[in-house]
Amino acid sequence: MNRNFILYLTLMVSFIGALGFSFYFYMKANYYDYQISEATSTYSSLPNYHFVLISEEVDHEYWRLVEEGAKEAEAVYDVYVEYKGPRNSNPEEQVRLLDMAIAAKVDGIIVQALNDEMFTPLINKAVENGIPVITIDTDVPNSSRMTYIGTDNYQSGQIAGQALIEDTNGEAVVGIIANSFSSIHQQLRIQGFKDAVENIEGIQIVAIEESNNSRVRAAEKADKILGEHEEITAFFGTSALDGLGISTSMKALQRQDDIYILAFDSLKETLDLLEQGKVDAVVAQEPFQMGYQSVERMLAIITGQQVQNVYHTNTSIIRKSDLRDWQTKVGVNP
Ligand code: BGC
């Protein structure tokens, strides 16, 4: 091959590469700007602030409640909240959305931060670039985020453990199914639960499995646990789809009546199962409040007000007997 041709080829490849890179960064920086102009094209004037809210799964019922809360705050204040998230749980994608929000220079970022390793560097980058960040639902307290709004995840695991002790009179062989072992909120919930039952002689945890935030996976894992430990008398699902998966599996195995199921989150289907006596207790979080308060606090930060390091929303245990009271108390927006 002659030298000129090789030189020509190298130049062409470099040129195409450079063009690709520029296009990528252009798209990255303009992604959110495009979204805001689309979304606000019907407004008579643009809202003062543009916030981005990044969830674990965009179309998940729990996260739609967080979005609803944020949108209610949007209707009260002069802000536009853009709600984003991967289709299926995918921390890499969340971090990519976070990076794009930084490139687009939005006014504030509200993000569920699933682990330190991946999220802290980007949260710090946003703050270094003058963009305030609030963590929601799951926190990375060692990052430069301004505040955290959400459940005290360790304490939610503890109250789950206490509920199990009360409901089983301290006698249970337990299998746990968690969304992901590498997510901080799941680690804290499991730890809180373990600590609560630690000194109860009659309670043993014999298996812990991951569902990858999939109801089908949770059902498969429940099958597997029961296959390997026929002595199991109780299951604890530490995130919204785990309890539903466990319940599906127990139904198929016709064990719904004798196995105790402790689920997380007040999704409609979970509450229906509670009412039918197929789930025994539910740890209820306040996703709507998380969404609403995060927008309020972001505005407080932007307008120079002091915020606390952490704002814990409530977590409570609901059983069939207190379902009506709980529903009345929280109204239509849990
Ligand atoms: C958690 C959320 C998670 C959801 C998944 C909830 O319990 O708080 O972070 O995305 O479950 O199903």
Side-chain angles (χ1 to χ4, degrees):
M1 229 182 288
N2 88 29
R3 278 181 58 198
N4 280 350
F5 179 72
I6 295 178
L7 193 67
Y8 173 75
L9 201 68
T10 317
L11 278 173
M12 273 314 278
V13 169
S14 316
F15 178 69
I16 293 170
L19 213 63
F21 265 116
S22 315
F23 182 70
Y24 170 73
F25 285 111
Y26 174 80
M27 289 307 286
K28 188 164 130 175
N30 288 286
Y31 178 67
Y32 284 99
D33 285 349
Y34 167 74
Q35 302 283 326
I36 192 174
S37 59
E38 279 285 284
T40 54
S41 56
T42 48
Y43 288 39
S44 51
S45 64
L46 283 180
N48 261 345
Y49 301 110
H50 174 196
F51 300 157
V52 171
L53 165 60
I54 303 170
S55 71
E56 179 162 5
E57 263 191 29
V58 72
D59 212 14
H60 190 299
E61 192 184 330
Y62 170 91
W63 284 102
R64 287 288 179 201
L65 287 169
V66 177
E67 182 198 14
E68 243 179 66
K71 289 289 172 189
E72 182 138 323
E74 183 189 74
V76 176
Y77 302 103
D78 195 12
V79 299
Y80 165 59
V81 184
E82 192 175 346
Y83 172 68
K84 291 269 151 200
R87 186 173 291 277
N88 295 115
S89 181
N90 180 347
E92 283 83 14
E93 169 75 4
Q94 272 178 297
V95 165
R96 203 173 62 80
L97 289 167
L98 183 52
D99 203 19
M100 294 206 298
I102 300 170
K105 300 187 173 63
V106 298
D107 300 306
I109 300 173
I110 302 162
V111 62
Q112 179 212 35
L114 285 171
N115 64 63
D116 249 320
E117 238 182 22
M118 295 170 67
F119 289 79
T120 295
L122 277 155
I123 290 175
N124 294 353
K125 176 178 165 188
V127 175
E128 277 155 25
N129 280 276
I131 304 174
V133 177
I134 291 179
T135 48
I136 189 166
D137 173 90
T138 314
D139 190 20
V140 280
N142 296 326
S143 68
S144 340
R145 59 75 173 149
M146 272 64 192
T147 187
Y148 163 68
I149 298 173
T151 294
D152 178 339
N153 283 301
Y154 176 78
Q155 186 250 359
S156 71
Q158 278 188 311
I159 63 169
Q162 283 148 11
L164 176 90
I165 300 169
E166 282 166 33
D167 293 351
T168 63
N169 294 319
E171 291 292 333
V173 181
V174 188
I176 298 179
I177 298 184
N179 167 344
S180 159
F181 294 154
S182 52
S183 298
I184 294 171
H185 59 341
Q186 301 298 289
Q187 294 166 357
L188 289 168
R189 291 176 193 178
I190 294 170
Q191 197 53 51
F193 183 83
K194 281 185 171 169
D195 290 350
V197 302
E198 195 188 7
N199 295 322
I200 310 294
E201 227 179 284
I203 297 190
Q204 288 171 53
I205 300 166
V206 293
I208 308 188
E209 294 278 350
E210 270 177 313
S211 67
N212 300 109
N213 209 25
S214 145
R215 178 184 179 151
V216 174
R217 249 312 163 73
E220 285 167 8
K221 292 300 174 77
D223 280 4
K224 174 174 183 270
I225 292 180
L226 211 55
E228 289 168 0
H229 302 272
E230 57 179 26
E231 71 279 20
I232 290 271
T233 62
F235 274 105
F236 173 35
T238 66
S239 75
L241 304 179
D242 301 324
L244 289 173
I246 294 166
S247 160
T248 306
S249 154
M250 294 308 109
K251 185 175 179 191
L253 299 170
Q254 298 183 332
R255 298 292 304 271
Q256 263 178 327
D257 295 334
D258 67 303
I259 301 254
Y260 176 90
I261 301 178
L262 181 55
F264 232 92
D265 293 306
S266 48
L267 306 191
K268 177 160 186 329
E269 199 180 340
T270 310
L271 295 184
D272 289 347
L273 290 167
L274 184 68
E275 179 141 47
Q276 294 157 20
K278 291 172 181 155
V279 159
D280 298 274
V282 171
V283 185
Q285 307 190 74
E286 291 189 328
F288 180 91
Q289 281 302 323
M290 291 181 208
Y292 191 91
Q293 289 182 26
S294 62
V295 173
E296 271 191 333
R297 304 278 180 224
M298 186 59 87
L299 269 173
I301 293 166
I302 287 177
T303 53
Q305 295 166 50
Q306 284 287 322
V307 288
Q308 296 172 26
N309 186 37
V310 159
Y311 292 92
H312 281 144
T313 44
N314 285 328
T315 316
S316 50
I317 296 286
I318 336 171
R319 297 183 180 84
K320 185 176 176 175
S321 54
D322 33 55
L323 185 54
R324 290 280 168 269
D325 285 351
W326 180 84
Q327 280 168 331
T328 314
K329 199 173 102 203
V330 297
V332 280
N333 297 320

